[in-house]
Amino acid sequence: MIKVYNGDFKKDDIEMRKVYSTVLSRLMEKDNRIVALEADLMSSMTMDAVQKEKPDKVINCGIMEANMIGVAGGMSIAGKYPFVHTFTAFASRRCFDQLFMSAAYQKNNIKVIASDAGVTAVHNGGTHMSFEDMGIMRGLANTVVMEMTDGVMFENVLEQIALKDGFYWIRTMRKNAATVYEKGSIFEIGKGNVLKDGNDITLIANGIMVCQALEAAKKLEKEGKSVAVIDMFTLNPIDKELIIKYADKTGKIITCENHSIHNGLGSAVAEVMAEKGNARLKRIGIKERYGQVGTLDFLMEEYELTSEHIYSAALELLK
Amino acid sequence: MKKLAREIRINTLKSLNHLGFGHYGGSLSVVEVLAVLYGGVMNINPENPCWEKRDYFVLSKGHAGPALYSTLALKGFFPLEEIYTLNQNGTNLPSHPDRLKTKGIDVTTGSLGQGISIATGIAMALHLDKKPNRVFSIIGDGEMNEGQCWEAFQFIAHHNLNNMTIFLDYNKQQLDGALEEIINPFSFEEKMKAFGFDTVTIKGDDIKGIYDAVKSPRTENEKPLFIILDTIKGQGVEYIEKMKNSHHMRLNDDLKKEMEKEVEKLERGRE
């Protein structure tokens, strides 16, 4: 059961990376089978302190992401439940065959934590920005592909999946997310969260775009529009029923993602609607571009990812 | 072990001949080492392939699958007749080993360079849990083109994972020709020493030599062991040994007859 935070916009008081290291450390104390692998980004993810306490549970593989995925596969075969972390760009582009072969295809239990998602890589710039990963990962059969919205969700999801079998791709930012959920919320993987119900138009978002969608909804409501907002944090398997329901109910959908509009959330929703459902669609996301350096505010403006962009797209669709 | 090697060779040839095509050369060059591992060194339990105390084996050069299937069948993991289902539609014995399909296969391989990393992960988990199980892996000399192998070697040496033993099938040929012509490896022995391994070279058909090198687990102070097996592609089958390229063969009627003759020759050796 989720509880939505209804106050004014604020940042979580805990960074996403801190959520990861804290929760993982706690889980490792409970179960000896949980291990974490890093590829020389341990300090970037605040896992260095955990390694000091638990040197036999946190292994720094060095700058060898492909080998790290293989090692995780082997550890899974020998009974461990490995988490592996690196930046989204390296985890996806660099390791796809390893994720296919050493993980998903042979059903090894691997949780990939892909951090610095999309434009949140900020000053690492275009080389470190992945706008493709969710599209790549949702092409793998029988895997779970998710994007974390805030710290409350991240904590609960990590707790839920730690000892689950299978392949999980978890995309996240590293710093403080905007607060969307109240503490104690429990998330159902594979289901979309209806954050706000409405009749005129539906905004389907994930990751950092959820709070932008909520902001846009507020503005539209001031003008008398009735807006539904859905957090589609699980991209695969996607919640088809919910998409169809809101396509039928509102007839207009806008998808909002910090990712290319190709193959990510926008495409996944379009696929569902094309087969069943009757609505018009607009996609907010990265359009045929690569990343660049900049502050998050600048990048969100530059790549047309702000609540203003969602608001304008909605007005156009509501015409 | 010598007898087992002969039977592995005969059955590998028979299963490939039955199919009419496949990875002859690289399957035959690992026959002796498989016979040593499965016939004299590894703790295995064909009744219970996932036995907790088993030693693990990873065929990183996955295309030698047919030789491994014959070995597993001869050791009783599944009936020997099943080797004739190799690569047939819906088979449990695909070209490259699949741990979800075949009893006794610990790791799915076939995308080169990855098996060695997975073997490394198994060894690491065993090492962390202070378990005595050993991990063996065979890697191809062509496979050493893959950068990922060298990543794994660094990791193994750094953590001194001497519960694992790596065999390099140095048959000097890869799919498109001679190693030296495609990517010259220079000295594997020097490289592996520099990478932090105890490295020895043994004739690929020297069963006693291979056995002596690996029969005992390494002591705590020893480095992980890297054995360069000086092999011939098509090893032990005269006709294939002489061929220029035996990586993947497709049998025409003449070749089929030659292969049948080779099987007969090997079978006469039983007497």
Side-chain angles (χ1 to χ4, degrees), chain A residues 1-3 156 182 184-188:
Chain A
M1 196 49 187
I2 55 156
K3 239 185 115 189
N156 180 245
E182 297 278 9
S185 291
I186 295 167
F187 298 85
E188 195 177 343

Side-chain angles (χ1 to χ4, degrees), chain A residues 32 35 55-57 59-61 63-80 94 97-109, chain B residues 54 56 97-101 106-112 114-126 128-131 148 150-155 158-159:
Chain A
N32 196 37
V35 291
D56 57 342
K57 300 272 172 61
I59 298 144
N60 196 339
C61 297
I63 310 164
M64 37 173 99
E65 293 81 7
N67 182 57
M68 174 168 73
I69 303 300
V71 167
M75 293 186 95
S76 162
I77 288 170
K80 299 284 186 191
R94 198 179 194 92
D97 189 41
Q98 283 75 18
L99 292 173
F100 173 90
M101 251 325 270
S102 297
Y105 180 75
Q106 55 183 303
K107 297 196 171 145
N108 284 327
N109 301 320
Chain B
R54 77 188 185 279
Y56 291 80
D98 187 325
R99 75 185 193 94
L100 303 177
K101 287 189 164 30
D106 285 319
V107 173
T108 303
T109 53
S111 180
L112 294 176
Q114 294 197 38
I116 194 71
S117 289
I118 300 177
T120 304
I122 296 172
M124 186 68 188
L126 296 168
L128 291 173
D129 290 344
K130 299 184 174 61
K131 287 183 178 167
Q148 187 172 347
W150 303 93
E151 294 186 1
F153 299 152
Q154 292 177 73
F155 187 99
H158 176 82
H159 291 283

Side-chain angles (χ1 to χ4, degrees), chain B residues 80-96:
Chain B
L80 191 57
E81 311 85 78
E82 269 187 36
I83 62 169
Y84 297 106
T85 67
L86 176 71
N87 278 353
Q88 307 286 353
N89 292 339
T91 187
N92 284 325
L93 302 181
S95 206
H96 303 85

Side-chain angles (χ1 to χ4, degrees), chain A residues 214-319:
Chain A
L214 286 168
E215 287 292 310
K218 259 188 215 163
K219 211 170 163 195
L220 289 161
E221 278 166 353
K222 274 186 196 146
E223 295 178 15
K225 314 291 184 196
S226 170
V227 184
V229 179
I230 293 170
D231 177 0
M232 196 62 82
F233 72 100
T234 314
L235 185 61
N236 196 51
I238 201 162
D239 189 346
K240 289 185 184 175
E241 289 77 27
L242 195 65
I243 295 169
I244 293 161
K245 182 180 164 191
Y246 276 85
D248 290 345
K249 185 176 177 182
T250 64
K252 294 170 194 75
I253 288 182
I254 297 181
T255 55
C256 316
E257 60 194 309
N258 167 26
H259 182 277
S260 168
I261 57 167
H262 297 315
N263 298 332
L265 179 66
S267 294
V269 169
E271 284 164 18
V272 175
M273 283 171 47
E275 284 185 350
K276 209 176 169 197
N278 185 18
R280 288 176 61 209
L281 174 73
K282 265 189 183 290
R283 292 174 294 166
I284 298 283
I286 317 286
K287 299 176 183 81
E288 293 292 340
R289 292 182 68 185
Y290 294 106
Q292 61 184 310
V293 292
T295 60
L296 194 55
D297 286 348
F298 167 81
L299 292 166
M300 290 192 67
E301 191 63 50
E302 176 70 22
Y303 292 91
E304 300 173 6
L305 301 175
T306 69
S307 58
E308 280 299 321
H309 293 102
I310 302 170
Y311 169 76
S312 309
L315 287 186
E316 215 171 290
L317 208 52
L318 285 163
K319 257 185 210 162

Side-chain angles (χ1 to χ4, degrees), chain B residues 172-183:
Chain B
K172 295 135 206 113
Q173 291 279 325
Q174 56 196 94
L175 177 57
D176 278 345
L179 251 61
E180 283 181 7
E181 286 169 20
I182 293 164
I183 291 290

